[in-house]
Amino acid sequence: MATIADDSDLGTRANRSDNRDDCPRAELEPKLSVDIDVPPLEQSWRKLPLSEAEQAKVQAILEACRDHDLLALRNLAVSPGGLIEDEVRRTAWPVLLGVNNQTTGSDVAAAPSWQDLPPHREEGQVDLDVNRSFVYYPVEESDARLDLRKAELSCIIKATLRRHPILCYFQGYHDIVQVLLLVLGANAAPAAAARLSLLRIRDFMLPTMSGALSHLQLLPSILRAADAELYKHLSQTAPFYFALPATLTLYAHDVQEYGDIARLFDFLLASEAVVSIYLYAVIVVSRKKELLELEADEHDMLHSILSKLPKPLDLDLLIGNAAKLFENHPPARLRSWTWFSISGNSVLKTTSNLTKLASQTLLDGERYFKRHAAEIQAYDSRKQAIARANFLVRRYRRPAVATMTTVVVAFLALYLSRGGASIDILTRPLLILRAEAWAYLRAVI
C-alpha cells in the first residue's frame, strides 16, 4: 500500500463526509465495451519491444478474450510474464472481471449521474487518502499531471460508493483503484472498480472487519500444507494478522514497482479470491531460512519480518508456486474445519467458479453483501450475549457459594444448639459461626 503511512490505518472506517464534486459531469460513466476511446495517461510500463514469443502470447490472449475463454485466459495470466503489457490488459482485465457481460446500453441510459446521488458517508476519508496517493508510481510526472490523476481517482471511488452506498470504504481501497486507473484509464476503470468491489473484495467492505479476518484464518492451515516445519516454528505468532495489509489491498499497499503490481493483478483477477492467501503463504515459505534463524518465541522480530514483503519479488516464481499449492491443496482439502465455517456469502466461496463469477451481476453482489452482513451481525450479537452471561456467572458465583456455605453452617449450628447438646469445645465454634451467619444474612437480604 504505497500511500498509507501507517499499517494501523488499514481497514478503519471513516465517519466524515465531503460534498465537493470536482469531476466533470460527462466523465466516469460506464462504457459499453472494453475499447478505450481516450488512452489512459500511463500507456505502459514496458519500454522494450515485444519478442516473438511475447507477440504470440499476446495473440493467444486476445483470442481468449474474443472467445470469452476464461480458462485459457486464466492460464495465460498465471504463466510467466502474465498478460505482457497494459495495452493487452485493457482488453483482458474487463473480460476477467465480467464487465462486458453485465453492461448494456439501457443500463447506462437509465443510470443517473453519480454526481446527482447523495454523498457517501465516508467521502471525507476518501479525500484524505487520495491526497496521498501515487507515491511510488508513476514516476517522473509533473505535479499538474499528478493532480489530474488524483482528481480522476477521487471521482472513480466516489462514483462507486455513491452508486453502491452499502459498501464501506476502507483505507487502502484507493491503492487498489489507482492500479485500475493507471492500467484501464478513467473511462473504463469505474465499471471495473464496481465489479471488483462488489464481487471480488466485497468482504473487505462490510461494516466490520470480520469478513476480512476470516480470510486470514485460512493462512495457518495453508502454511501447514506448504511447509509443516515452518508452520510449527511460526505457530506461536498466531493469529496471523501480519498478512492483513497486503491481502486487504491485493498487495497494492506493499508492491512499489508499477510493472510488478500490474503483473500481480493479472494473476489475482484471473483467480478466485482465496488465492491471495495462498500467495502470502508461499511468500512466507520463500523466507524460510531467514525465519528459522530466529527463535520461535521472538514474536516481535518474526512479526516484523512477516509483515513486510521481501525485495525484490520474484513474481513469476511466487505466482507459479501459489498456483501449484492451490491446485495440490484446495481449501476444502486443508487439514482444518475453517473453510467449512466460512459463510457461503463470502467472496471466498462465491468466486470459486470463474465462469459463474463472470455472469454475476452487481445486484447479486449487493445481495451477498446484505446476507453476509446480517450473518456477521447475528454472530456478533450471540457472542456478546454469551460474553455477558459468562460475566454474570463469574460475578455472582462467589457470593452464591458464600451464601450457601453460611446457610449450611448456620443450620448445623442451630441444630446442635437446639438438640440439647452441651456447649463444649466442638459446639462453641459452630455457635459463633451461627451468629456471624445470621448477621451476614440480615445484611444481604
Side-chain angles (χ1 to χ4, degrees):
M1 190 182 299
T3 63
I4 294 181
D6 189 341
D7 287 352
S8 63
D9 290 338
L10 283 165
T12 57
R13 308 301 186 194
N15 296 314
R16 292 169 291 233
S17 63
D18 194 324
N19 295 326
R20 294 174 297 175
D21 294 332
D22 301 324
C23 313
R25 187 173 295 272
E27 295 179 356
L28 302 172
E29 300 301 332
K31 302 290 288 183
L32 297 182
S33 71
V34 297
D35 297 329
I36 308 298
D37 295 331
V38 179
L41 295 177
E42 182 69 33
Q43 290 294 330
S44 179
W45 62 275
R46 287 183 60 100
K47 302 300 181 184
L48 299 176
L50 301 181
S51 66
E52 290 186 7
E54 289 172 328
Q55 291 177 17
K57 186 176 184 180
V58 166
Q59 186 63 31
I61 293 170
L62 296 178
E63 289 176 359
C65 291
R66 180 196 62 199
D67 300 335
H68 277 264
D69 188 342
L70 294 178
L71 179 58
L73 191 55
R74 180 190 183 280
N75 292 335
L76 290 163
V78 173
S79 64
L83 299 177
I84 306 297
E85 66 172 2
D86 287 358
E87 186 175 353
V88 181
R89 294 185 176 104
R90 287 195 279 273
T91 298
W93 283 11
V95 174
L96 290 171
L97 288 168
V99 171
N100 269 10
N101 297 353
Q102 303 302 328
T103 305
T104 66
S106 59
D107 291 337
V108 175
S113 169
W114 69 270
Q115 292 168 311
D116 295 331
L117 299 173
H120 191 273
R121 58 193 174 277
E122 296 168 338
E123 289 186 13
Q125 187 62 51
V126 172
D127 289 332
L128 294 174
D129 290 346
V130 167
N131 189 52
R132 55 184 183 228
S133 60
F134 302 109
V135 172
Y136 295 123
Y137 48 78
V139 297
E140 299 179 357
E141 288 206 330
S142 66
D143 291 341
R145 189 92 178 254
L146 287 175
D147 287 342
L148 176 59
R149 289 188 187 280
K150 290 179 180 179
E152 290 176 336
L153 178 61
S154 176
C155 291
I156 294 170
I157 294 175
K158 290 179 180 179
T160 302
L161 294 177
R162 290 192 189 186
R163 290 187 183 281
H164 310 283
I166 63 173
L167 295 174
C168 298
Y169 177 81
F170 63 90
Q171 290 184 271
Y173 177 75
H174 67 292
D175 287 307
I176 298 174
V177 178
Q178 79 176 20
V179 177
L180 298 179
L181 171 61
L182 290 173
V183 173
L184 301 177
N187 289 321
R195 289 190 63 80
L196 183 71
S197 301
L198 279 165
L199 302 176
R200 301 293 192 107
I201 60 171
R202 181 178 63 243
D203 293 1
F204 306 154
M205 308 189 79
L206 289 163
T208 72
M209 293 302 295
S210 297
L213 295 179
S214 68
H215 291 226
L216 299 185
Q217 292 171 3
L218 289 168
L219 183 54
S221 54
I222 296 174
L223 184 58
R224 178 166 56 185
D227 192 309
E229 180 188 10
L230 184 58
Y231 162 76
K232 183 178 180 181
H233 185 71
L234 298 177
S235 59
Q236 296 182 31
T237 63
F240 288 1
Y241 292 160
F242 52 77
L244 183 62
T247 56
L248 187 70
T249 61
L250 303 184
Y251 297 85
H253 173 48
D254 296 287
V255 176
Q256 300 180 8
E257 296 293 332
Y258 175 67
D260 287 345
I261 193 60
R263 166 69 185 100
L264 191 52
F265 266 48
D266 293 343
F267 173 58
L268 296 176
L269 297 184
S271 307
E272 51 190 276
V274 72
V275 168
S276 176
I277 309 300
Y278 279 79
L279 177 62
Y280 208 95
V282 300
I283 291 174
V284 172
V285 172
S286 73
R287 313 186 76 173
K288 178 177 180 177
K289 184 177 183 297
E290 180 182 7
L291 293 168
L292 290 180
E293 289 176 351
L294 296 173
E295 296 296 331
D297 59 358
E298 295 186 66
H299 303 149
D300 291 342
M301 288 295 296
L302 288 170
H303 190 280
S304 177
I305 295 174
L306 291 166
S307 62
K308 298 179 178 62
L309 298 185
K311 298 177 184 178
L313 284 171
D314 188 344
L315 280 179
D316 281 334
L317 177 62
L318 293 171
I319 287 171
N321 289 342
K324 184 177 180 180
L325 179 62
F326 174 75
E327 181 180 357
N328 293 338
H329 303 279
R333 288 166 48 190
L334 294 171
R335 293 174 54 191
S336 169
W337 289 102
T338 304
W339 176 253
F340 302 99
S341 68
I342 291 173
S343 169
N345 296 303
S346 167
V347 296
L348 293 171
K349 299 287 183 69
T350 62
T351 62
S352 60
N353 186 303
L354 293 181
T355 302
K356 291 182 179 179
L357 174 61
S359 66
Q360 290 175 10
T361 66
L362 299 181
L363 288 177
D364 291 332
E366 292 193 355
R367 281 192 288 268
Y368 285 131
F369 182 101
K370 292 175 182 177
R371 291 200 291 259
H372 197 180
E375 289 172 352
I376 291 174
Q377 184 177 21
Y379 173 79
D380 289 344
S381 296
R382 289 194 301 270
K383 189 164 64 173
Q384 291 174 3
I386 292 172
R388 177 62 178 169
N390 289 336
F391 170 76
L392 291 176
V393 168
R394 289 193 301 270
R395 180 177 179 180
Y396 293 108
R397 178 184 296 160
R398 290 186 177 180
V401 171
T403 300
M404 288 301 299
T405 302
T406 302
V407 169
V408 170
V409 170
F411 176 80
L412 181 60
L414 182 64
Y415 171 78
L416 290 174
S417 63
R418 290 182 177 181
S422 59
I423 301 176
D424 55 21
I425 193 171
L426 294 177
T427 58
R428 186 179 299 277
L430 291 176
L431 292 175
I432 295 173
L433 286 174
R434 184 188 68 175
E436 294 178 351
W438 283 120
Y440 174 80
L441 289 175
R442 284 194 295 270
V444 298
I445 295 177

